[in-house]
Amino acid sequence: MKMQTLLTALLLSAVLHAQSADEKQIRTTLDRQTAAWNSGNLEAFMDGYWRSDSLMFIGKSGVTYGWQNTLNNYKKGYPDTAAMGKLHFDIIQVKRLSVIYFSVVGKWHLARSIGDLSGHFTLLFRKINNKWVIVSDHSS
């Protein structure tokens, strides 16, 4: 009985460590995105996304598929640093869905001289080639 309890405790410890390491990587990705946005670098901001035609972005205009199409939409909607403003994320929940998927729910806020914007988002992260990337983004 003691051996089974010990094995269970070790397994639980390993799972919690893996989750905390994965969650840390995801939060680091979001921090990097914030820094890139705030420096006016949309290409670096997009490093957090899956570089694939299967990337899905859902916003006020509907669904956009593809990394390049998503970048193009960001460039169109935020053509300069005044339009981009300064980004801040408030993370509400980071939840493991499986070994390769995490869900992140939060609020975004742009402080801008031309008027602030804010909303909420749900991100689906997937571990691809040992890197956590956003494969689906629903922002409103």
Side-chain angles (χ1 to χ4, degrees), residues 46 49-59 62-70 73-74 122-125 133-139:
M46 289 294 296
Y49 287 91
W50 185 25
R51 195 176 283 258
S52 167
D53 290 340
S54 296
L55 168 67
M56 183 181 353
F57 184 94
I58 306 160
V63 179
T64 298
Y65 287 99
W67 187 92
Q68 187 63 53
N69 292 335
T70 300
N73 284 348
Y74 272 124
T122 303
L123 305 173
L124 181 62
F125 275 83
V133 292
I134 300 164
V135 296
S136 179
D137 178 341
H138 187 174
S139 293

mmCIF file of all heavy atoms in Angstrom, residues 46 49-59 62-70 73-74 122-125 133-139:
data_model
loop_
_atom_site.group_PDB
_atom_site.id
_atom_site.type_symbol
_atom_site.label_atom_id
_atom_site.label_comp_id
_atom_site.label_asym_id
_atom_site.label_seq_id
_atom_site.Cartn_x
_atom_site.Cartn_y
_atom_site.Cartn_z
ATOM 1 N N MET A 46 3.373 37.942 -34.111
ATOM 2 C CA MET A 46 2.820 36.747 -34.760
ATOM 3 C C MET A 46 3.646 35.492 -34.499
ATOM 4 O O MET A 46 3.187 34.388 -34.792
ATOM 5 C CB MET A 46 2.686 36.979 -36.265
ATOM 6 C CG MET A 46 1.579 37.951 -36.654
ATOM 7 S SD MET A 46 -0.075 37.352 -36.270
ATOM 8 C CE MET A 46 -0.192 35.924 -37.338
ATOM 9 N N TYR A 49 1.902 32.615 -32.869
ATOM 10 C CA TYR A 49 0.881 31.875 -33.608
ATOM 11 C C TYR A 49 1.500 30.743 -34.425
ATOM 12 O O TYR A 49 2.659 30.807 -34.821
ATOM 13 C CB TYR A 49 0.135 32.810 -34.567
ATOM 14 C CG TYR A 49 -0.808 33.763 -33.885
ATOM 15 C CD1 TYR A 49 -0.390 35.022 -33.493
ATOM 16 C CD2 TYR A 49 -2.133 33.405 -33.645
ATOM 17 C CE1 TYR A 49 -1.262 35.907 -32.874
ATOM 18 C CE2 TYR A 49 -3.011 34.279 -33.033
ATOM 19 C CZ TYR A 49 -2.571 35.528 -32.652
ATOM 20 O OH TYR A 49 -3.440 36.395 -32.038
ATOM 21 N N TRP A 50 0.688 29.749 -34.714
ATOM 22 C CA TRP A 50 1.074 28.633 -35.564
ATOM 23 C C TRP A 50 1.268 29.144 -36.979
ATOM 24 O O TRP A 50 0.355 29.709 -37.574
ATOM 25 C CB TRP A 50 -0.025 27.590 -35.510
ATOM 26 C CG TRP A 50 0.205 26.291 -36.223
ATOM 27 C CD1 TRP A 50 1.385 25.704 -36.527
ATOM 28 C CD2 TRP A 50 -0.810 25.407 -36.670
ATOM 29 N NE1 TRP A 50 1.177 24.493 -37.148
ATOM 30 C CE2 TRP A 50 -0.186 24.296 -37.248
ATOM 31 C CE3 TRP A 50 -2.199 25.444 -36.636
ATOM 32 C CZ2 TRP A 50 -0.883 23.234 -37.798
ATOM 33 C CZ3 TRP A 50 -2.903 24.390 -37.182
ATOM 34 C CH2 TRP A 50 -2.247 23.298 -37.762
ATOM 35 N N ARG A 51 2.425 28.973 -37.533
ATOM 36 C CA ARG A 51 2.717 29.439 -38.892
ATOM 37 C C ARG A 51 2.185 28.398 -39.873
ATOM 38 O O ARG A 51 2.924 27.571 -40.396
ATOM 39 C CB ARG A 51 4.211 29.658 -39.063
ATOM 40 C CG ARG A 51 4.561 30.470 -40.293
ATOM 41 C CD ARG A 51 6.034 30.747 -40.377
ATOM 42 N NE ARG A 51 6.453 31.802 -39.474
ATOM 43 C CZ ARG A 51 6.705 33.049 -39.858
ATOM 44 N NH1 ARG A 51 6.581 33.400 -41.113
ATOM 45 N NH2 ARG A 51 7.090 33.955 -38.970
ATOM 46 N N SER A 52 0.867 28.461 -40.076
ATOM 47 C CA SER A 52 0.178 27.463 -40.888
ATOM 48 C C SER A 52 -1.054 28.085 -41.539
ATOM 49 O O SER A 52 -1.655 29.008 -40.990
ATOM 50 C CB SER A 52 -0.269 26.293 -40.003
ATOM 51 O OG SER A 52 -1.174 25.451 -40.674
ATOM 52 N N ASP A 53 -1.438 27.536 -42.678
ATOM 53 C CA ASP A 53 -2.689 27.950 -43.318
ATOM 54 C C ASP A 53 -3.899 27.494 -42.516
ATOM 55 O O ASP A 53 -5.020 27.947 -42.778
ATOM 56 C CB ASP A 53 -2.781 27.391 -44.746
ATOM 57 C CG ASP A 53 -1.792 28.051 -45.694
ATOM 58 O OD1 ASP A 53 -1.318 29.164 -45.385
ATOM 59 O OD2 ASP A 53 -1.484 27.450 -46.733
ATOM 60 N N SER A 54 -3.694 26.619 -41.546
ATOM 61 C CA SER A 54 -4.790 26.113 -40.724
ATOM 62 C C SER A 54 -5.027 26.937 -39.458
ATOM 63 O O SER A 54 -5.985 26.677 -38.730
ATOM 64 C CB SER A 54 -4.534 24.656 -40.338
ATOM 65 O OG SER A 54 -4.517 23.845 -41.491
ATOM 66 N N LEU A 55 -4.162 27.926 -39.178
ATOM 67 C CA LEU A 55 -4.410 28.828 -38.061
ATOM 68 C C LEU A 55 -5.791 29.450 -38.233
ATOM 69 O O LEU A 55 -6.168 29.841 -39.344
ATOM 70 C CB LEU A 55 -3.355 29.938 -38.019
ATOM 71 C CG LEU A 55 -3.640 31.108 -37.082
ATOM 72 C CD1 LEU A 55 -3.591 30.675 -35.620
ATOM 73 C CD2 LEU A 55 -2.670 32.255 -37.340
ATOM 74 N N MET A 56 -6.561 29.527 -37.141
ATOM 75 C CA MET A 56 -7.897 30.122 -37.201
ATOM 76 C C MET A 56 -7.962 31.320 -36.262
ATOM 77 O O MET A 56 -7.654 31.207 -35.085
ATOM 78 C CB MET A 56 -8.973 29.109 -36.790
ATOM 79 C CG MET A 56 -10.369 29.672 -36.920
ATOM 80 S SD MET A 56 -11.773 28.584 -36.439
ATOM 81 C CE MET A 56 -11.078 27.025 -36.123
ATOM 82 N N PHE A 57 -8.361 32.472 -36.816
ATOM 83 C CA PHE A 57 -8.585 33.684 -36.028
ATOM 84 C C PHE A 57 -10.041 34.085 -36.206
ATOM 85 O O PHE A 57 -10.507 34.256 -37.332
ATOM 86 C CB PHE A 57 -7.669 34.823 -36.479
ATOM 87 C CG PHE A 57 -7.819 36.050 -35.621
ATOM 88 C CD1 PHE A 57 -6.973 36.257 -34.546
ATOM 89 C CD2 PHE A 57 -8.818 36.979 -35.868
ATOM 90 C CE1 PHE A 57 -7.119 37.376 -33.736
ATOM 91 C CE2 PHE A 57 -8.974 38.095 -35.061
ATOM 92 C CZ PHE A 57 -8.133 38.294 -33.997
ATOM 93 N N ILE A 58 -10.743 34.224 -35.085
ATOM 94 C CA ILE A 58 -12.154 34.613 -35.120
ATOM 95 C C ILE A 58 -12.265 35.974 -34.447
ATOM 96 O O ILE A 58 -11.893 36.132 -33.279
ATOM 97 C CB ILE A 58 -13.042 33.587 -34.385
ATOM 98 C CG1 ILE A 58 -12.792 32.190 -34.936
ATOM 99 C CG2 ILE A 58 -14.509 33.986 -34.486
ATOM 100 C CD1 ILE A 58 -13.223 31.081 -34.001
ATOM 101 N N GLY A 59 -12.747 36.945 -35.196
ATOM 102 C CA GLY A 59 -12.910 38.299 -34.689
ATOM 103 C C GLY A 59 -14.232 38.884 -35.134
ATOM 104 O O GLY A 59 -15.113 38.165 -35.615
ATOM 105 N N GLY A 62 -15.496 37.956 -38.584
ATOM 106 C CA GLY A 62 -15.700 36.548 -38.903
ATOM 107 C C GLY A 62 -14.426 35.744 -38.731
ATOM 108 O O GLY A 62 -13.540 36.121 -37.972
ATOM 109 N N VAL A 63 -14.334 34.657 -39.489
ATOM 110 C CA VAL A 63 -13.215 33.725 -39.376
ATOM 111 C C VAL A 63 -12.176 34.017 -40.451
ATOM 112 O O VAL A 63 -12.514 34.190 -41.622
ATOM 113 C CB VAL A 63 -13.688 32.257 -39.502
ATOM 114 C CG1 VAL A 63 -12.511 31.293 -39.395
ATOM 115 C CG2 VAL A 63 -14.738 31.940 -38.450
ATOM 116 N N THR A 64 -10.930 34.069 -40.038
ATOM 117 C CA THR A 64 -9.799 34.188 -40.953
ATOM 118 C C THR A 64 -8.941 32.951 -40.768
ATOM 119 O O THR A 64 -8.653 32.560 -39.632
ATOM 120 C CB THR A 64 -8.958 35.442 -40.637
ATOM 121 O OG1 THR A 64 -9.764 36.599 -40.816
ATOM 122 C CG2 THR A 64 -7.731 35.534 -41.527
ATOM 123 N N TYR A 65 -8.556 32.332 -41.856
ATOM 124 C CA TYR A 65 -7.660 31.174 -41.801
ATOM 125 C C TYR A 65 -6.287 31.573 -42.310
ATOM 126 O O TYR A 65 -6.166 32.308 -43.294
ATOM 127 C CB TYR A 65 -8.190 30.024 -42.663
ATOM 128 C CG TYR A 65 -9.386 29.342 -42.070
ATOM 129 C CD1 TYR A 65 -10.666 29.654 -42.498
ATOM 130 C CD2 TYR A 65 -9.237 28.398 -41.057
ATOM 131 C CE1 TYR A 65 -11.782 29.028 -41.949
ATOM 132 C CE2 TYR A 65 -10.339 27.774 -40.497
ATOM 133 C CZ TYR A 65 -11.607 28.099 -40.954
ATOM 134 O OH TYR A 65 -12.696 27.485 -40.388
ATOM 135 N N GLY A 66 -5.282 31.080 -41.636
ATOM 136 C CA GLY A 66 -3.915 31.240 -42.105
ATOM 137 C C GLY A 66 -3.130 32.293 -41.361
ATOM 138 O O GLY A 66 -3.646 33.348 -40.995
ATOM 139 N N TRP A 67 -1.852 31.972 -41.153
ATOM 140 C CA TRP A 67 -0.938 32.876 -40.465
ATOM 141 C C TRP A 67 -0.764 34.174 -41.238
ATOM 142 O O TRP A 67 -0.875 35.262 -40.670
ATOM 143 C CB TRP A 67 0.413 32.164 -40.274
ATOM 144 C CG TRP A 67 1.393 32.916 -39.444
ATOM 145 C CD1 TRP A 67 1.562 32.800 -38.093
ATOM 146 C CD2 TRP A 67 2.356 33.877 -39.885
ATOM 147 N NE1 TRP A 67 2.574 33.647 -37.673
ATOM 148 C CE2 TRP A 67 3.072 34.320 -38.746
ATOM 149 C CE3 TRP A 67 2.679 34.426 -41.128
ATOM 150 C CZ2 TRP A 67 4.093 35.264 -38.828
ATOM 151 C CZ3 TRP A 67 3.692 35.370 -41.196
ATOM 152 C CH2 TRP A 67 4.380 35.773 -40.064
ATOM 153 N N GLN A 68 -0.489 34.072 -42.531
ATOM 154 C CA GLN A 68 -0.244 35.271 -43.337
ATOM 155 C C GLN A 68 -1.496 36.135 -43.429
ATOM 156 O O GLN A 68 -1.415 37.363 -43.327
ATOM 157 C CB GLN A 68 0.249 34.909 -44.742
ATOM 158 C CG GLN A 68 0.688 36.112 -45.555
ATOM 159 C CD GLN A 68 1.887 36.832 -44.934
ATOM 160 O OE1 GLN A 68 2.909 36.221 -44.646
ATOM 161 N NE2 GLN A 68 1.759 38.135 -44.720
ATOM 162 N N ASN A 69 -2.662 35.528 -43.604
ATOM 163 C CA ASN A 69 -3.902 36.296 -43.664
ATOM 164 C C ASN A 69 -4.174 37.009 -42.339
ATOM 165 O O ASN A 69 -4.659 38.152 -42.326
ATOM 166 C CB ASN A 69 -5.090 35.393 -44.009
ATOM 167 C CG ASN A 69 -5.016 34.869 -45.425
ATOM 168 O OD1 ASN A 69 -4.402 35.466 -46.295
ATOM 169 N ND2 ASN A 69 -5.629 33.726 -45.658
ATOM 170 N N THR A 70 -3.851 36.350 -41.234
ATOM 171 C CA THR A 70 -4.030 36.964 -39.920
ATOM 172 C C THR A 70 -3.082 38.155 -39.766
ATOM 173 O O THR A 70 -3.495 39.235 -39.322
ATOM 174 C CB THR A 70 -3.817 35.927 -38.804
ATOM 175 O OG1 THR A 70 -4.770 34.869 -38.973
ATOM 176 C CG2 THR A 70 -3.990 36.546 -37.428
ATOM 177 N N ASN A 73 -4.371 41.045 -41.799
ATOM 178 C CA ASN A 73 -5.495 41.714 -41.127
ATOM 179 C C ASN A 73 -5.014 42.610 -39.993
ATOM 180 O O ASN A 73 -5.547 43.706 -39.792
ATOM 181 C CB ASN A 73 -6.505 40.690 -40.603
ATOM 182 C CG ASN A 73 -7.357 40.114 -41.703
ATOM 183 O OD1 ASN A 73 -7.383 40.598 -42.830
ATOM 184 N ND2 ASN A 73 -8.057 39.038 -41.387
ATOM 185 N N TYR A 74 -4.035 42.135 -39.228
ATOM 186 C CA TYR A 74 -3.470 42.978 -38.169
ATOM 187 C C TYR A 74 -2.851 44.242 -38.773
ATOM 188 O O TYR A 74 -3.046 45.351 -38.260
ATOM 189 C CB TYR A 74 -2.416 42.220 -37.358
ATOM 190 C CG TYR A 74 -2.968 41.444 -36.196
ATOM 191 C CD1 TYR A 74 -2.739 40.077 -36.072
ATOM 192 C CD2 TYR A 74 -3.692 42.072 -35.180
ATOM 193 C CE1 TYR A 74 -3.225 39.357 -34.984
ATOM 194 C CE2 TYR A 74 -4.185 41.368 -34.093
ATOM 195 C CZ TYR A 74 -3.954 40.010 -34.009
ATOM 196 O OH TYR A 74 -4.438 39.298 -32.933
ATOM 197 N N THR A 122 -10.222 34.026 -26.229
ATOM 198 C CA THR A 122 -10.008 32.630 -25.903
ATOM 199 C C THR A 122 -8.978 32.112 -26.894
ATOM 200 O O THR A 122 -9.173 32.220 -28.111
ATOM 201 C CB THR A 122 -11.304 31.798 -26.020
ATOM 202 O OG1 THR A 122 -12.292 32.364 -25.169
ATOM 203 C CG2 THR A 122 -11.068 30.350 -25.642
ATOM 204 N N LEU A 123 -7.888 31.584 -26.371
ATOM 205 C CA LEU A 123 -6.817 31.048 -27.203
ATOM 206 C C LEU A 123 -6.720 29.550 -27.002
ATOM 207 O O LEU A 123 -6.829 29.067 -25.867
ATOM 208 C CB LEU A 123 -5.474 31.674 -26.827
ATOM 209 C CG LEU A 123 -5.389 33.192 -26.853
ATOM 210 C CD1 LEU A 123 -4.042 33.648 -26.295
ATOM 211 C CD2 LEU A 123 -5.609 33.726 -28.252
ATOM 212 N N LEU A 124 -6.510 28.838 -28.089
ATOM 213 C CA LEU A 124 -6.211 27.414 -28.015
ATOM 214 C C LEU A 124 -4.747 27.251 -28.396
ATOM 215 O O LEU A 124 -4.355 27.572 -29.527
ATOM 216 C CB LEU A 124 -7.102 26.606 -28.952
ATOM 217 C CG LEU A 124 -6.887 25.089 -28.938
ATOM 218 C CD1 LEU A 124 -7.201 24.513 -27.546
ATOM 219 C CD2 LEU A 124 -7.744 24.418 -30.000
ATOM 220 N N PHE A 125 -3.946 26.817 -27.427
ATOM 221 C CA PHE A 125 -2.529 26.540 -27.666
ATOM 222 C C PHE A 125 -2.357 25.056 -27.931
ATOM 223 O O PHE A 125 -3.000 24.228 -27.292
ATOM 224 C CB PHE A 125 -1.690 26.902 -26.434
ATOM 225 C CG PHE A 125 -1.288 28.341 -26.345
ATOM 226 C CD1 PHE A 125 -2.153 29.282 -25.820
ATOM 227 C CD2 PHE A 125 -0.033 28.744 -26.775
ATOM 228 C CE1 PHE A 125 -1.769 30.604 -25.714
ATOM 229 C CE2 PHE A 125 0.358 30.074 -26.674
ATOM 230 C CZ PHE A 125 -0.514 31.006 -26.138
ATOM 231 N N VAL A 133 2.166 26.958 -29.416
ATOM 232 C CA VAL A 133 1.730 27.994 -30.356
ATOM 233 C C VAL A 133 0.209 28.110 -30.341
ATOM 234 O O VAL A 133 -0.491 27.156 -30.044
ATOM 235 C CB VAL A 133 2.216 27.724 -31.796
ATOM 236 C CG1 VAL A 133 3.733 27.856 -31.897
ATOM 237 C CG2 VAL A 133 1.768 26.356 -32.284
ATOM 238 N N ILE A 134 -0.275 29.293 -30.677
ATOM 239 C CA ILE A 134 -1.715 29.528 -30.761
ATOM 240 C C ILE A 134 -2.199 28.963 -32.092
ATOM 241 O O ILE A 134 -1.716 29.355 -33.156
ATOM 242 C CB ILE A 134 -2.040 31.033 -30.680
ATOM 243 C CG1 ILE A 134 -1.536 31.607 -29.362
ATOM 244 C CG2 ILE A 134 -3.530 31.275 -30.867
ATOM 245 C CD1 ILE A 134 -1.453 33.123 -29.336
ATOM 246 N N VAL A 135 -3.157 28.037 -32.043
ATOM 247 C CA VAL A 135 -3.732 27.462 -33.266
ATOM 248 C C VAL A 135 -5.121 28.022 -33.530
ATOM 249 O O VAL A 135 -5.623 27.925 -34.644
ATOM 250 C CB VAL A 135 -3.766 25.918 -33.228
ATOM 251 C CG1 VAL A 135 -2.341 25.363 -33.166
ATOM 252 C CG2 VAL A 135 -4.610 25.389 -32.096
ATOM 253 N N SER A 136 -5.727 28.619 -32.514
ATOM 254 C CA SER A 136 -7.046 29.250 -32.665
ATOM 255 C C SER A 136 -7.141 30.420 -31.694
ATOM 256 O O SER A 136 -6.793 30.289 -30.523
ATOM 257 C CB SER A 136 -8.154 28.236 -32.388
ATOM 258 O OG SER A 136 -9.425 28.832 -32.503
ATOM 259 N N ASP A 137 -7.618 31.556 -32.210
ATOM 260 C CA ASP A 137 -7.756 32.779 -31.418
ATOM 261 C C ASP A 137 -9.136 33.342 -31.695
ATOM 262 O O ASP A 137 -9.477 33.645 -32.826
ATOM 263 C CB ASP A 137 -6.681 33.781 -31.835
ATOM 264 C CG ASP A 137 -6.761 35.121 -31.119
ATOM 265 O OD1 ASP A 137 -7.813 35.470 -30.557
ATOM 266 O OD2 ASP A 137 -5.748 35.850 -31.161
ATOM 267 N N HIS A 138 -9.947 33.449 -30.654
ATOM 268 C CA HIS A 138 -11.263 34.079 -30.748
ATOM 269 C C HIS A 138 -11.216 35.328 -29.886
ATOM 270 O O HIS A 138 -11.195 35.242 -28.661
ATOM 271 C CB HIS A 138 -12.365 33.134 -30.276
ATOM 272 C CG HIS A 138 -13.741 33.673 -30.499
ATOM 273 N ND1 HIS A 138 -14.856 32.924 -30.246
ATOM 274 C CD2 HIS A 138 -14.181 34.871 -30.945
ATOM 275 C CE1 HIS A 138 -15.934 33.646 -30.525
ATOM 276 N NE2 HIS A 138 -15.539 34.831 -30.942
ATOM 277 N N SER A 139 -11.111 36.477 -30.536
ATOM 278 C CA SER A 139 -10.999 37.753 -29.825
ATOM 279 C C SER A 139 -12.174 38.637 -30.170
ATOM 280 O O SER A 139 -12.601 38.712 -31.321
ATOM 281 C CB SER A 139 -9.705 38.474 -30.210
ATOM 282 O OG SER A 139 -8.577 37.762 -29.754
#
